[in-house]
Amino acid sequence: GQQLNQSPQSMFIQEGEDVSMNCTSSSIFNTWLWYKQDPGEGPVLLIALYKAGELTSNGRLTAQFGITRKDSFLNISASIPSDVGIYFCAGASDYLGGSQGNLIFGKGTKLSVKP
Amino acid sequence: EAQVTQNPRYLITVTGKKLTVTCSQNMNHEYMSWYRQDPGLGLRQIYYSMNVEVTDKGDVPEGYKVSRKEKRNFPLILESPSPNQTSLYFCASSSRQNNYGYTFGSGTRLTVV
């Protein structure tokens, strides 16, 4: 099936540092979503992107929909301990089964913050 | 409160014993989906449904069945569970109105021995 390549797989950062992660695909997507998963919980939607080139912020989080529609990145500024968790990118395309309901996820970026 | 409810949260069962994991959403969402999460593999889609009586296979449908007889419910059925189906399962729902951003349940941790 379709795959998203998400990197890095994991990262350790100092509190206060900025964080960047990205997702790439060989296929075109018309929706990119970024989720965060806390231990023992389901993923929670952070940011949704629907237009190529779109740049959207949610507090300290900023995400962009790549111009080629094959990639997206997420930045976290001034990280804090509660940013710890697993971040997933997800993409949806009209070309996947003809339905936006078929959402494909990356394998996740595990973020650990040193207090 | 708008939510996706899965039951049970934890389940240990034996190989071959049929089981059903229930999923219900109260947001009138047309889309529902089941994912499994395994270490190093991320979230992989099992089945999804675009509306009542409309279901389709995801990336890893083998060994699973689903049904969508009502809009709010989307149960996941394992007719004959095997140890390789030990995993963390998530149900999710979304709609065109919320631009397809899936809302996830809290997960069901299944162990098949």
Side-chain angles (χ1 to χ4, degrees):
Chain A
Q2 300 290 332
Q3 289 188 340
L4 294 181
N5 298 310
Q6 186 172 350
S7 64
Q9 286 186 326
S10 63
M11 51 195 316
F12 291 85
I13 60 170
Q14 292 285 346
E15 184 176 354
E17 285 183 348
D18 295 344
V19 174
S20 184
M21 60 192 78
N22 67 82
C23 254
T24 61
S25 171
S26 58
S27 304
I28 291 175
F29 289 122
N30 55 24
T31 300
W32 282 96
L33 307 171
W34 285 92
Y35 286 83
K36 182 193 177 194
Q37 184 181 27
D38 291 323
E41 299 296 330
V44 174
L45 184 64
L46 298 174
I47 292 180
L49 303 159
Y50 304 105
K51 296 180 182 179
E54 180 180 359
L55 184 71
T56 298
S57 294
N58 178 6
R60 293 179 295 106
L61 278 60
T62 302
Q64 185 160 29
F65 192 141
I67 291 292
T68 65
R69 299 169 68 188
K70 293 182 178 181
D71 62 340
S72 177
F73 73 76
L74 174 70
N75 285 342
I76 305 172
S77 62
S79 58
I80 58 178
S82 63
D83 289 334
V84 164
I86 303 176
Y87 292 80
F88 291 100
C89 63
S93 167
D94 288 336
Y95 302 104
L96 292 174
S99 166
Q100 284 266 27
N102 190 6
L103 193 62
I104 306 299
F105 281 79
K107 293 183 179 181
T109 295
K110 186 174 182 180
L111 184 63
S112 302
V113 178
K114 299 176 184 178
Chain B
E1 180 186 356
Q3 60 185 0
V4 177
T5 303
Q6 294 177 230
N7 280 296
R9 285 294 305 270
Y10 302 92
L11 179 61
I12 301 175
T13 191
V14 296
T15 299
K17 185 177 181 181
K18 180 180 179 180
L19 66 91
T20 299
V21 183
T22 63
C23 175
S24 179
Q25 50 94 4
N26 62 0
M27 296 166 281
N28 201 36
H29 285 171
E30 61 266 32
Y31 294 105
M32 296 187 76
S33 186
W34 276 102
Y35 289 86
R36 61 177 288 174
Q37 184 175 20
D38 302 289
L41 299 177
L43 288 156
R44 295 181 293 168
Q45 192 173 48
I46 303 171
Y47 271 93
Y48 64 97
S49 169
M50 291 183 283
N51 216 320
V52 176
E53 301 292 359
V54 181
T55 64
D56 209 345
K57 297 178 180 179
D59 291 325
V60 288
E62 294 77 21
Y64 304 95
K65 288 175 58 177
V66 293
S67 69
R68 189 89 183 274
K69 297 178 181 177
E70 304 167 285
K71 197 171 186 179
R72 63 182 292 127
N73 296 322
F74 191 44
L76 180 69
I77 303 158
L78 284 72
E79 293 273 3
S80 182
S82 62
N84 65 12
Q85 292 178 297
T86 293
S87 186
L88 179 59
Y89 292 86
F90 288 102
C91 180
S93 72
S94 72
S95 76
R96 188 173 288 115
Q97 287 183 337
N98 72 342
N99 287 318
Y100 308 108
Y102 268 115
T103 299
F104 281 81
S106 297
T108 295
R109 184 165 292 282
L110 173 65
T111 302
V112 183
V113 298

